[in-house]
Amino acid sequence: MKLQQYINSFTAPLAAEDARPLVRLLACRNKTARGLSDTVGAIEERRLQNPGHSLPEPWDGIALRHCACVHALYTNKYQEAYTHQNALLSLFFRWLQDQSSWALPILYQLLQDLRDLAEQADQVSFASTGKTQALEECTRTVSKGFSMCATDRMFKGAESRRVGVYYLACLSMKCYFKVGKPNLCKNIIRAVTSDPKTPPVDEAPLTDQVSWHFYIGMLAFLAGEDKKADEELSWAFEHCPLESVRNQELILTYLIPLRLLRGRFPSRALLARYPRLDETFSPFIESIKSGDVREYDERLEWAQPRLVGMSVYLVVERAREGCLRGLFKKAWVASEKSSRLPTSTFRTALRLHRVEVDSDEVECMVANMIYRGFIKGYISHEKQMVVLAKTNPFPNLHTIAR
């Protein structure tokens, strides 16, 4: 496709307000983009600054910037491609402020391509600078797109750009997580939830609802709000499309550790669908069930790099309490469920699992388990005795408040 032919291709869909062909014309990774890269080639800076007037303002400039972007992309000049795409969006935002929701699919495509290009550009520069400058700038651009939709006062109802708020909010939060600033997601959430003109989340497309609940759950997860995180991530997993296996695995990466805390374990059939998660979490599940503290500790040490990379290490470490509870309960059962047990009983149970601790450490462990609700009873320090409640001295994990 020659350059002028490509520019002329915008005329009809712009007049008809038809987003689908415009998305195809402006996507960075399809046959049209590859063809433009091969036939049009590089665009001179002088031409970019004076794009002409074949189309309504500023579409000549948008078309030329896209040509320059895809040529840089397919010649592996990722930083240059990102720069052109960012400049293209500056032009697009000027036009978007007067448009209704019909233009949202184009905005989605442009911003998604910008994010992908930013990651590719940073792969080159990160090794030398240690910074993700392109992605940080991209995050600001995505946030501007979000603001243009969230503050739309020109159009109402289905024509309002507000219908795209959840897609863009989730893309913004995805960028914030990528640049290591998840705390800034709270500003996005506040902007969405505090505005009464924002449509309810259940009116958004299902994929946007799933993403929204996932990020709400992730923020609760990072804040230690286990119950809320469990609820939000469970909703996201239950409504995630069946074909989105990668997204299901991502949700389970955080949901399974939360369930370990409450003694609710995924089935073997579920884990078998996700081999990486099966390898990571199955040993912890078996250790909690058997009360094998030593095995749990060894597995925790082995899996530490992976768990840290997944941002779930601290939660899995906390789940060790459930394993310890299981071991102490076994010691209680082996002692004929007596309501009075010497602390040495628990020490012996630990030693049988190759965990060497002195008497003071055992007493400290039991005291902590009582304080946190894993054991109902009290310690007689003078007599070195643990006095257990006569009914249900070891509550089920899922009933313990956290």
Side-chain angles (χ1 to χ4, degrees):
M1 185 184 296
K2 294 181 179 180
L3 178 57
Q4 192 57 48
Q5 182 184 359
Y6 171 70
I7 292 175
N8 292 340
S9 299
F10 286 85
T11 303
L14 282 172
E17 296 188 349
D18 187 356
R20 190 180 306 174
L22 293 173
V23 169
R24 178 180 58 80
L25 288 169
L26 291 172
C28 286
R29 290 175 171 83
N30 59 12
K31 292 181 179 179
T32 302
R34 168 67 77 174
L36 285 172
S37 174
D38 294 339
T39 57
V40 175
I43 305 292
E44 294 181 357
E45 184 63 29
R46 182 176 57 182
R47 180 71 192 277
L48 290 172
Q49 298 302 323
N50 297 281
H53 304 283
S54 300
L55 299 171
E57 181 68 21
W59 278 92
D60 291 273
I62 291 173
L64 289 178
R65 282 290 177 182
H66 179 70
C67 291
C69 173
V70 296
H71 177 73
L73 172 61
Y74 288 106
T75 53
N76 300 324
K77 300 174 183 176
Y78 300 123
Q79 182 60 55
E80 184 179 331
Y82 166 77
T83 301
H84 285 304
Q85 184 75 0
N86 204 40
L88 185 158
L89 271 154
S90 295
L91 296 172
F92 184 80
F93 286 151
R94 282 168 40 196
W95 173 81
L96 180 65
Q97 60 188 352
D98 298 321
Q99 305 302 315
S100 64
S101 60
W102 79 269
L104 288 176
I106 312 169
L107 177 63
Y108 298 164
Q109 182 67 55
L110 294 177
L111 289 175
Q112 188 60 58
D113 282 341
L114 181 73
R115 183 185 173 279
D116 293 342
L117 290 169
E119 288 194 344
Q120 287 183 287
D122 283 336
Q123 285 177 0
V124 177
S125 62
F126 184 79
S128 58
T129 65
K131 297 180 179 180
T132 54
Q133 293 178 332
L135 196 54
E136 290 182 10
E137 184 183 31
C138 168
T139 301
R140 293 191 289 271
T141 302
V142 172
S143 296
K144 183 176 180 180
F146 165 77
S147 297
M148 291 191 69
C149 292
T151 59
D152 179 21
R153 292 178 174 81
M154 184 177 295
F155 300 96
K156 308 294 182 182
E159 290 190 349
S160 173
R161 294 193 300 272
R162 291 175 186 267
V163 300
V165 156
Y166 291 101
Y167 179 95
L168 294 166
C170 292
L171 185 59
S172 294
M173 289 191 283
K174 185 175 184 178
C175 291
Y176 282 133
F177 269 90
K178 196 69 177 180
V179 298
K181 298 178 180 178
N183 56 304
L184 296 180
C185 293
K186 295 178 182 178
N187 298 331
I188 298 292
I189 294 171
R190 191 180 303 112
V192 173
T193 57
S194 64
D195 190 341
K197 295 182 180 179
T198 301
V201 65
D202 55 12
E203 292 182 5
L206 182 59
T207 52
D208 294 348
Q209 293 184 47
V210 170
S211 297
W212 175 259
H213 284 284
F214 170 73
Y215 284 112
I216 297 294
M218 278 298 302
L219 291 171
F221 180 93
L222 294 175
E225 300 172 10
D226 297 339
K227 183 179 180 181
K228 181 178 180 181
D230 192 317
E231 292 173 352
E232 295 290 346
L233 292 173
S234 295
W235 194 100
F237 182 73
E238 290 166 6
H239 294 83
C240 188
L242 291 176
E243 65 274 12
S244 301
V245 178
R246 177 69 187 92
N247 290 340
Q248 293 170 10
E249 182 174 340
L250 182 61
I251 296 168
L252 286 174
T253 297
Y254 304 98
L255 185 56
I256 290 175
L258 288 169
R259 295 292 178 87
L260 293 184
L261 291 173
R262 301 178 66 81
R264 297 166 62 191
F265 308 122
S267 67
R268 287 299 314 154
L270 178 65
L271 283 174
R273 292 165 52 190
Y274 311 97
R276 189 175 69 94
L277 297 182
D278 189 10
E279 179 188 21
T280 302
F281 293 116
S282 286
F284 294 115
I285 293 170
E286 296 306 317
S287 296
I288 293 174
K289 288 180 177 178
S290 64
D292 193 337
V293 178
R294 177 73 176 188
E295 175 65 25
Y296 196 98
D297 290 344
E298 289 178 349
R299 186 65 185 185
L300 192 63
E301 183 179 357
W302 177 86
Q304 181 176 356
R306 179 182 296 185
L307 296 174
V308 170
M310 296 159 65
S311 300
V312 299
Y313 177 81
L314 293 178
V315 177
V316 176
E317 186 181 44
R318 285 167 55 204
R320 181 182 185 273
E321 295 173 327
C323 188
L324 195 60
R325 168 203 169 276
L327 177 61
F328 286 175
K329 183 177 181 180
K330 282 190 171 185
W332 169 66
V333 171
S335 301
E336 300 180 347
K337 297 185 178 181
S338 171
S339 62
R340 298 170 66 86
L341 293 176
T343 55
S344 60
T345 301
F346 298 118
R347 185 183 182 190
T348 300
L350 287 164
R351 292 177 70 177
L352 288 173
H353 283 272
R354 298 172 293 138
V355 179
E356 293 293 336
V357 291
D358 59 32
S359 299
D360 289 340
E361 286 182 274
V362 172
E363 188 173 322
C364 183
M365 284 182 179
V366 175
N368 187 55
M369 298 289 281
I370 293 173
Y371 173 75
R372 296 179 66 80
F374 290 92
I375 299 175
K376 293 163 68 175
Y378 64 90
I379 298 175
S380 173
H381 177 70
E382 182 181 354
K383 297 181 179 180
Q384 292 290 292
M385 189 74 66
V386 179
V387 182
L388 298 171
K390 292 185 178 180
T391 58
N392 195 25
F394 293 88
N396 290 328
L397 289 175
H398 70 271
T399 65
I400 299 171
R402 289 177 180 267

